[in-house]
Amino acid sequence: MSVGHEAEMDLGTPTYDEHPAKDPMLTDRHGADGSGDGTPNSYSQSSKIKAKTAEADTSSELAKRSKEMFRKEISQFIVLCLNPYRKPDCKLGRIVATEDFKHLARKLTHGVMNKELKQCKNPEDLECNENVKHKTKEYIKKYMQKFGAVYKPKEEPDVD
């Protein structure tokens, strides 16, 4: 091959051992980062935007997961607290029907969760700790006493 033929073949395309940022011919045509739009660091700018979006998704996912975990734990605890009210020897607020039990468990779970969400600034801070369990148990006890001997859903007072 002659030298003139090699120069003819060089079309400005980098080979595997040439780096676009180090080659002045490519820097002029493609920008400092080889992006093609002539702006330096345009790749890093777009990755910053993506990082912010991913960060927002992560925090909302974390909040959703935290709420779901709290709901799961508190609903199990509420079911434990309501179980004694199903027994035949229960004196106040006895729950006779399974449908009533399910309705009460759902209603109380939503009520407690909403109250706790109001107390927490961040949903990620929701925690089903001993303090929350104690307050929930007292709340259920007070709520069930409003019904007298047997729980009747039609005369259900509002949840406070």
Side-chain angles (χ1 to χ4, degrees):
M1 276 187 139
S2 68
V3 177
H5 187 65
E6 282 181 16
E8 215 175 278
M9 290 182 61
D10 185 19
L11 302 173
T13 309
T15 60
Y16 64 90
D17 59 344
E18 292 178 277
H19 297 288
K22 292 180 183 175
D23 189 355
M25 286 288 290
L26 294 173
T27 304
D28 291 342
R29 250 187 264 151
H30 298 289
D33 61 352
S35 64
D37 63 359
T39 59
N41 298 325
S42 65
Y43 178 76
S44 62
Q45 288 173 349
S46 66
S47 65
K48 285 179 187 174
I49 293 169
K50 288 179 184 173
K52 288 180 183 175
T53 305
E55 188 179 303
D57 290 344
T58 306
S59 65
S60 66
E61 283 294 317
L62 183 64
K64 189 184 278 188
R65 229 179 288 131
S66 179
K67 284 181 190 178
E68 189 62 27
M69 285 289 293
F70 181 81
R71 186 194 58 79
K72 203 175 205 179
E73 288 179 42
I74 202 69
S75 66
Q76 289 172 346
F77 182 73
I78 287 173
V79 166
L80 282 174
C81 291
L82 285 176
N83 272 333
Y85 293 97
R86 299 180 84 180
K87 295 181 179 175
D89 61 340
C90 179
K91 304 284 186 225
L92 277 175
R94 180 162 180 257
I95 303 168
V96 182
T98 304
E99 287 303 312
D100 293 343
F101 178 83
K102 288 179 181 181
H103 171 75
L104 262 174
R106 281 190 199 103
K107 182 175 179 150
L108 292 170
T109 298
H110 284 284
V112 169
M113 187 157 174
N114 288 336
K115 282 183 172 206
E116 286 302 312
L117 277 169
K118 286 178 186 174
Q119 294 295 318
C120 293
K121 291 177 183 168
N122 296 323
E124 295 91 14
D125 297 337
L126 275 177
E127 186 183 4
C128 190
N129 56 27
E130 291 305 311
N131 185 34
V132 172
K133 288 181 179 181
H134 176 73
K135 287 192 292 183
T136 301
K137 192 170 188 172
E138 290 302 312
Y139 174 68
I140 291 171
K141 186 177 176 183
K142 184 179 169 188
Y143 184 78
M144 294 306 288
Q145 285 176 349
K146 295 177 183 177
F147 293 103
V150 178
Y151 169 77
K152 294 174 188 160
K154 291 167 185 75
E155 300 172 26
E156 196 169 314
D158 290 333
V159 177
D160 294 342

